[in-house]
Amino acid sequence: MAPGLAPLPGRTAAGRALRGMGIALGSLLILLGLMALPACGLGFAGAWGLILPGGALLALALGWRRLGGHPRLRRMMAGLLGLGGILSLALSGWMLRSGWFCPPDEGRYTVVVLGAKVEGDAPSRMLRRRLETARDYLLAHPQAPVIVAGGQGSDERRSEASVMAAWLLGQGIESSRIYREDRSTNTAQNIAYAKALLEAESLPARMLIVSDGFHLPRARLLASQLAIESAALPAATPIWLLPAYWAREMLAIVYTLLFGSNA
């Protein structure tokens, strides 16, 4: 090595370790994103929210040695990766607490079931899991009313609210307890229109929001922005789908905090 030249970053122990971690993490992100595409389609933003950062990280790791002549650039990239990792961990911790560890107390709630895609006259698998979770709570709390929230998508024959209401009726939930919010097309509208309905019908002001755990933090954030007190009732999510949805929700939460949300 010529005098005065620092060793190439990929040839030091620390450089090799960082390069190996970058290759492993980038490859993992790409793999998880690719796993979500067959079930959710090529347009699923959560999958690309894993594949694209994973590809960038993998490219950076594979080209790490070429940054040897640019130590400032190398330090800047390492710092950005470290900062991104810290912020992601902090946000993930908050999401876990808000989505899975904020159960209802024994007070009165209006149950709000957030919609998802319907298939003809039947709920999709994701929506069915949400409805099953809501049904169990409603059967155990016979005084609680429920709002089913979801409009009709361009590829849906019926509104999500009408399909959810019919499913709950078939499970023994009385029609007098079921209120339909069938205008919304996104999560922000789900919460806002549900609030208007519970106020119009003089229902309990606190919401018990039912959705997938990864979705609940943003739903509850939107509720808090409307001065609504809420608790979380998470439905089960297949573990192999969770990373892609998690990445999508992290991006959506950041956007909501910065700009508000219509997503």
Side-chain angles (χ1 to χ4, degrees):
M1 182 183 298
L5 292 180
L8 291 175
R11 294 178 182 173
T12 66
R16 287 193 297 270
L18 284 172
R19 185 170 183 266
M21 290 172 60
I23 292 173
L25 180 57
S27 301
L28 177 62
L29 292 175
I30 293 172
L31 177 61
L32 291 172
L34 291 174
M35 288 172 61
L37 288 178
C40 303
L42 291 175
F44 180 51
W48 293 108
L50 292 174
I51 293 171
L52 296 178
L57 181 58
L58 184 59
L60 175 62
L62 292 174
W64 187 251
R65 290 179 181 176
R66 296 183 180 272
L67 297 176
H70 306 278
R72 291 183 180 177
L73 181 60
R74 190 173 73 242
R75 287 194 295 269
M76 182 183 73
M77 288 188 172
L80 288 174
L81 287 173
L83 178 61
I86 292 171
L87 293 177
S88 296
L89 286 174
L91 182 55
S92 293
W94 174 78
M95 289 174 65
L96 280 170
R97 183 181 183 281
S98 183
W100 278 273
F101 297 99
C102 190
D105 56 30
E106 291 305 314
R108 295 194 64 201
Y109 289 92
T110 296
V111 178
V112 178
V113 188
L114 301 185
K117 185 176 178 59
V118 298
E119 299 167 346
D121 296 327
S124 61
R125 283 182 292 178
M126 175 177 282
L127 184 54
R128 185 183 180 93
R129 287 191 292 267
R130 296 180 187 183
L131 288 168
E132 289 170 345
T133 302
R135 174 202 60 197
D136 294 345
Y137 181 88
L138 291 167
L139 291 175
H141 299 80
Q143 302 305 314
V146 56
I147 295 175
V148 287
Q152 182 176 354
S154 59
D155 58 346
E156 294 174 326
R157 188 166 66 191
R158 295 174 55 186
S159 72
E160 294 166 6
S162 67
V163 172
M164 289 190 282
W167 191 92
L168 289 173
L169 282 169
Q171 298 292 309
I173 307 302
E174 299 88 345
S175 61
S176 60
R177 300 172 63 190
I178 303 172
Y179 298 82
R180 302 184 189 186
E181 183 288 292
D182 57 6
R183 297 181 296 151
S184 58
T185 58
N186 56 56
T187 305
Q189 291 179 0
N190 284 161
I191 301 299
Y193 295 164
K195 179 185 179 184
L197 182 57
L198 69 84
E199 290 175 346
E201 298 291 342
S202 299
L203 303 176
R206 296 196 299 168
M207 287 185 181
L208 177 57
I209 305 175
V210 182
S211 188
D212 288 76
F214 64 81
H215 189 207
L216 284 169
R218 181 160 59 98
R220 296 188 62 224
L221 173 62
L222 291 164
S224 70
Q225 292 177 341
L226 295 175
I228 301 170
E229 183 180 347
S230 68
L233 194 58
T237 304
I239 191 67
W240 65 276
L241 284 178
L242 190 57
Y245 281 108
W246 193 273
R248 178 186 182 277
E249 284 301 309
M250 289 181 72
L251 295 174
I253 288 169
V254 171
Y255 185 91
T256 299
L257 289 170
L258 294 176
F259 308 109
S261 177
N262 291 315

